Amino acid sequence: MALAAIRGDNRRGKTLLFLFCCALAGVMPHWLDPSTILFPAIFLVAVLGSYGLKIVLIDANKSFESFNIDSEIKDKLSDLQSVDVLVSVRDEENVVERLILKLQEIRYPQDKIKFWIIDDGSKDNTPLLLNKLSNKFDNINILSRSISSGGKSGALNFALQNVNSEWIFVLDADAQFDQDIFLRIIPYAKDHGFSVLQLRKAVSNANRNLLTCCQAMEMAMDLVIQQGRFGGGGISELRGNGQLIRRDLIDQCGGFNEDTVTDDLDLSFRLLFAKASVGIVSNPPVQEEAVETIPGLWRQRKRWAEGGLQRFFDYWSFLTSNKLNIRKRLDITAFFLLQYALPVVSFFDVLVSLLRHSLPAFWPLSLTAFCISAIAYFKGCRRKVEGPSIPKPNLLRLIISIIYLAHWFVVIPWVTFVMAFRPKQFIWRKTIHKGH
């Protein structure tokens, strides 16, 4: 079956089966003799704990350090490959002007770079600003969709009809970046054999409040985990903003999937099946805004959880097939159990514990997962990085960040219930950017 043809058949049925299995796993230990479940519990903690500890302790960061510009690169500008920069915008009047001014600062041969801004049905002043800026800067190409469908994926597919460079680079409207970004990452990708690069995401407003501080630390933790997964023979995933992809690979994958709310996570799996080599570059980073309110975080994380979960259901036959080597399959399985299954199982486990006035059965595994996250927090936040500084991982911040991380144990069960019992409604709820 072609990857482009997969559009998530029977997602509700698959989600319902997943929910049932998690409920059974969460309830069963409370009805069994404690001695019966002791060995399976120890085995599960040992296996998943060892996996998590391994990926956070692997020192893979040095393998993903892009170089600085030197005279040798400047002398070889004629050998640089072409790139199309794609930005989908919708109601981005707060940041779109800053973005286009940043694009003008990029140092790269003008005949080898093109900028495409896709106005995806904006209702604010974004179209007026784009029109004014396109008249001022003749290297900005504006595309407007009369019918906005398929979310960000639909907008990017709309732009693909016009681009023909060797690379495409996807940015969000709130992105900020180094002016030598392409002089650094495109030669790096070519020299190291990467067909896809994801830049480290740095939070530009980490000092705004406690919530943005926690998100900045979460980004640093995520980088450690993704690089560790790659270094351990597993997979690394795209993160939407700041992704460099070889143009022919996008065609091979059938474009961006318009039937998902997370184009980056969906494409990560399809690039895996296409045997693409995906790397994550620590430096230079791409900056973006963290959401500043709890309602905004709730909306964003629900979308991430839904898209993250549905891709496992959509591509499960590929993920479990021998088309992937055993190390990648083990990595995907362990990640799925820790990221998605554990929160849902824990929900039923805690629910039964409250009803029976007993101790939750899965607390050792949850505690292990949080401890491993704390190590990843500490390691990621202590790195010397370019761009905005990452909050220092003192004891108080680590404790607060771990408490903050527990929101996934609410978001993922909630999204799972919604996916299992409500008909699918494709509603693209974008993150609001303020341009601070």
Side-chain angles (χ1 to χ4, degrees):
M1 181 183 296
L3 294 179
I6 297 179
R7 287 294 181 266
D9 294 335
N10 197 23
R11 282 176 180 162
R12 286 181 66 189
K14 294 174 183 176
T15 308
L16 192 59
L17 177 61
F18 169 69
L19 184 64
F20 174 78
C21 292
C22 289
L24 191 63
V27 171
M28 282 298 293
H30 294 274
W31 303 102
L32 298 175
D33 186 271
S35 61
T36 305
I37 63 171
L38 179 61
F39 178 76
I42 294 174
F43 177 78
L44 191 62
V45 170
V47 171
L48 293 180
S50 298
Y51 159 80
L53 194 60
K54 174 186 174 183
I55 65 173
V56 300
L57 293 181
I58 290 176
D59 189 16
N61 187 49
K62 293 180 180 180
S63 302
F64 296 108
E65 288 290 346
S66 181
F67 47 76
N68 290 315
I69 304 304
D70 54 28
S71 58
E72 181 181 356
I73 293 298
K74 291 180 180 179
D75 292 339
K76 294 183 178 180
L77 293 180
S78 60
D79 296 331
L80 293 172
Q81 296 174 307
S82 59
V83 57
D84 281 298
V85 181
L86 308 183
V87 188
S88 171
V89 301
R90 179 188 296 179
D91 298 335
E92 297 287 6
E93 62 182 4
N94 295 328
V95 296
V96 70
E97 185 170 5
R98 182 186 67 186
L99 170 72
I100 291 180
L101 293 176
K102 290 292 293 183
L103 293 176
Q104 299 304 311
E105 296 175 359
I106 291 178
R107 297 196 294 184
Y108 204 74
Q110 291 301 303
D111 61 330
K112 294 189 176 182
I113 187 169
K114 295 180 182 178
F115 303 114
W116 302 89
I117 313 297
I118 309 102
D119 178 24
D120 197 24
S122 297
K123 303 298 183 183
D124 62 358
N125 290 323
T126 298
L128 296 176
L129 289 170
L130 289 176
N131 183 61
K132 181 185 73 173
L133 292 166
S134 64
N135 291 330
K136 183 177 180 181
F137 303 110
D138 56 10
N139 61 349
I140 301 295
N141 300 287
I142 307 299
L143 301 174
S144 298
R145 290 212 296 168
S146 56
I147 300 177
S148 180
S149 62
K152 181 180 176 181
S153 294
L156 294 175
N157 284 335
F158 184 71
L160 287 179
Q161 306 171 42
N162 300 277
V163 304
N164 53 14
S165 294
E166 294 166 279
W167 295 90
I168 67 167
F169 187 68
V170 180
L171 285 172
D172 286 348
D174 62 325
Q176 299 182 64
F177 37 82
D178 182 72
Q179 63 182 357
D180 290 327
I181 185 171
F182 296 123
L183 291 175
R184 297 176 65 180
I185 66 173
I186 291 181
Y188 176 85
K190 181 180 177 182
D191 293 344
H192 290 76
F194 287 118
S195 50
V196 182
L197 278 182
Q198 171 63 59
L199 274 62
R200 173 176 62 88
K201 297 210 299 184
V203 172
S204 59
N205 58 338
N207 296 326
R208 176 63 57 177
N209 56 38
L210 184 60
L211 192 61
T212 59
C213 175
C214 288
Q215 290 171 78
M217 296 179 69
E218 185 183 23
M219 291 294 184
M221 176 195 71
D222 180 69
L223 178 71
V224 170
I225 292 173
Q226 293 302 320
Q227 289 185 340
R229 292 178 67 189
F230 181 92
I235 71 168
S236 50
E237 300 178 326
L238 298 178
R239 288 294 181 257
N241 192 14
Q243 52 191 29
L244 178 72
I245 311 169
R246 222 174 56 204
R247 178 66 171 85
D248 61 311
L249 268 177
I250 292 293
D251 293 334
Q252 185 178 339
C253 292
F256 295 89
N257 186 359
E258 299 185 22
D259 197 33
T260 179
V261 291
T262 51
D263 57 285
D264 49 347
L265 297 180
D266 181 273
L267 184 59
S268 297
F269 275 0
R270 291 191 290 142
L271 288 169
L272 173 66
F273 308 140
K275 302 187 183 303
S277 178
V278 182
I280 300 181
V281 178
S282 301
N283 294 310
V286 60
Q287 300 179 39
E288 67 178 25
E289 292 182 19
V291 295
E292 300 180 3
T293 64
I294 291 178
L297 184 74
W298 175 253
R299 289 191 299 269
Q300 181 193 68
R301 298 313 164 93
K302 283 197 301 179
R303 179 169 62 84
W304 289 4
E306 180 182 351
L309 190 57
Q310 75 177 32
R311 63 186 168 139
F312 281 94
F313 300 149
D314 290 353
Y315 303 115
W316 191 253
S317 61
F318 284 94
L319 298 174
T320 56
S321 71
N322 57 11
K323 295 180 181 179
L324 299 180
N325 63 48
I326 186 65
R327 296 176 74 179
K328 284 183 169 56
R329 276 183 281 169
L330 289 174
D331 171 76
I332 289 170
T333 301
F335 182 77
F336 175 78
L337 291 175
L338 287 170
Q339 179 73 24
Y340 297 101
L342 179 59
V344 184
V345 170
S346 297
F347 169 79
F348 289 101
D349 182 26
V350 171
L351 181 62
V352 175
S353 297
L354 293 174
L355 294 175
R356 293 172 58 90
H357 304 287
S358 60
L359 189 67
F362 283 87
W363 72 264
L365 183 56
S366 299
L367 179 63
T368 301
F370 281 116
C371 288
I372 292 171
S373 298
I375 297 173
Y377 268 127
F378 184 76
K379 184 177 178 181
C381 293
R382 292 181 69 249
R383 287 179 174 174
K384 294 181 179 180
V385 296
E386 299 177 20
S389 60
I390 302 173
K392 298 301 181 183
N394 57 45
L395 181 59
L396 179 60
R397 281 181 176 154
L398 281 176
I399 293 173
I400 293 173
S401 295
I402 291 298
I403 295 173
Y404 156 84
L405 198 62
H407 75 270
W408 287 112
F409 279 69
V410 178
V411 174
I412 291 178
W414 174 267
V415 168
T416 303
F417 274 100
V418 171
M419 290 175 62
F421 295 105
R422 285 187 182 176
K424 172 63 181 175
Q425 292 182 328
F426 188 90
I427 301 175
W428 180 258
R429 295 183 175 91
K430 67 178 294 294
T431 300
I432 298 174
H433 302 133
K434 297 184 177 181
H436 291 308

